[in-house]
Amino acid sequence: MTVTATHDHVVLVDVDGRPTGELALRAEVHSTSTPRHLGFSCYVIGDDGRVLLTRRALGKRTWPGVWTNSLCGHPRLGESLPDAIARRAEDELGMALHSPRTVLPDFHYVATDASGIVENEFCPVAVARCATAPDPRPEEVMDLRWVTPGELHQLVRTAPWTLSPWCAAQVPLLGAHLTASGTDR
C-alpha cells in the first residue's frame, strides 16, 4: 500500500529529524524495527501550576498502562506542531489548550517496551496551558493526575520505571519550563 497524506500516517525522518519524504501508516509503523519518525510530547500546565500526567490506556500498542506526560502524538505531513498538539489534545483528552511552545526542539529517543515494540522518535517537546478541563477518551487515557513540578521531578528520581521512558528522559531536561514563573509550586 502506498501511504499518502490522506491516511493516518507518520513522517519518517533522518537522524537529524529532517523529513526523508517518506510516510508510514501510524497503525503499522511501531514494530520491533520501527523506523525513526516524527513525534511530539506535550506537558499541560494548569492554572494552579500543576502538570497533567496521564496513564496510557491498556489498549495502546506501546507502553500500555504506563504513566506519561500529558499527551503525545505524530504531526502529519504539512501539519504544524501547534496544530498537531491541538488535534491530539482534543483526540486524547477532549480538551483545548493555549499557548503551546516548543521547549526541547531536538529531543529524540529510542526505547523498547516489554513486548519488544520499539519507539524511535525525533520528538520535540512542548508545554502548553490548559484552556478547558480534560475529558479523556478511554481508548487513549485510562487515568490522569495533576502533580506539582516538584512531585514529577521526585517521581523521575525515585521511580523512573513507573513512567514512559520518554517522560523519564524529558523531565530532567525541562527544568523551569514546567512552571509558569520558573518556581516550583
Side-chain angles (χ1 to χ4, degrees):
M1 169 184 208
T2 302
V3 180
T4 67
T6 60
H7 294 103
D8 189 10
H9 64 271
V10 298
V11 176
L12 301 186
V13 296
D14 66 18
V15 295
D16 296 317
R18 292 184 302 258
T20 64
E22 296 178 72
L23 304 176
L25 288 174
R26 186 182 61 82
E28 298 175 3
V29 74
H30 298 100
S31 68
T32 57
S33 59
T34 304
R36 180 162 289 198
H37 58 279
L38 184 59
F40 70 84
S41 291
C42 183
Y43 292 78
V44 176
I45 301 171
D47 290 338
D48 62 359
R50 293 184 299 158
V51 180
L52 179 64
L53 290 185
T54 59
R55 187 171 178 206
R56 295 169 63 82
L58 293 176
K60 297 292 272 186
R61 182 158 173 82
T62 59
W63 280 272
V66 174
W67 285 94
T68 193
N69 53 288
S70 308
L71 66 127
C72 300
H74 303 94
R76 295 177 177 156
L77 183 65
E79 183 178 39
S80 72
L81 188 57
D83 287 347
I85 291 169
R87 174 177 52 81
R88 289 304 296 159
E90 177 59 35
D91 290 350
E92 285 187 34
L93 296 168
M95 72 185 302
L97 304 176
H98 60 80
S99 306
R101 60 188 174 90
T102 304
V103 295
L104 299 175
D106 298 321
F107 184 82
H108 55 88
Y109 71 97
V110 177
T112 305
D113 79 359
S115 72
I117 301 296
V118 175
E119 275 285 11
N120 184 4
E121 290 191 349
F122 185 85
C123 184
V125 180
V127 295
R129 301 296 294 190
C130 180
T132 62
D135 181 19
R137 306 286 189 261
E139 64 275 9
E140 296 286 344
V141 174
M142 65 184 293
D143 199 2
L144 54 83
R145 190 80 23 106
W146 291 94
V147 299
T148 67
E151 289 169 331
L152 180 54
H153 283 282
Q154 181 67 21
L155 181 59
V156 169
R157 282 190 300 275
T158 60
W161 59 87
T162 64
L163 298 166
S164 69
W166 58 91
C167 181
Q170 292 164 354
V171 168
L173 303 174
L174 288 170
H177 294 297
L178 290 180
T179 61
S181 65
T183 61
D184 197 5
R185 293 182 182 210

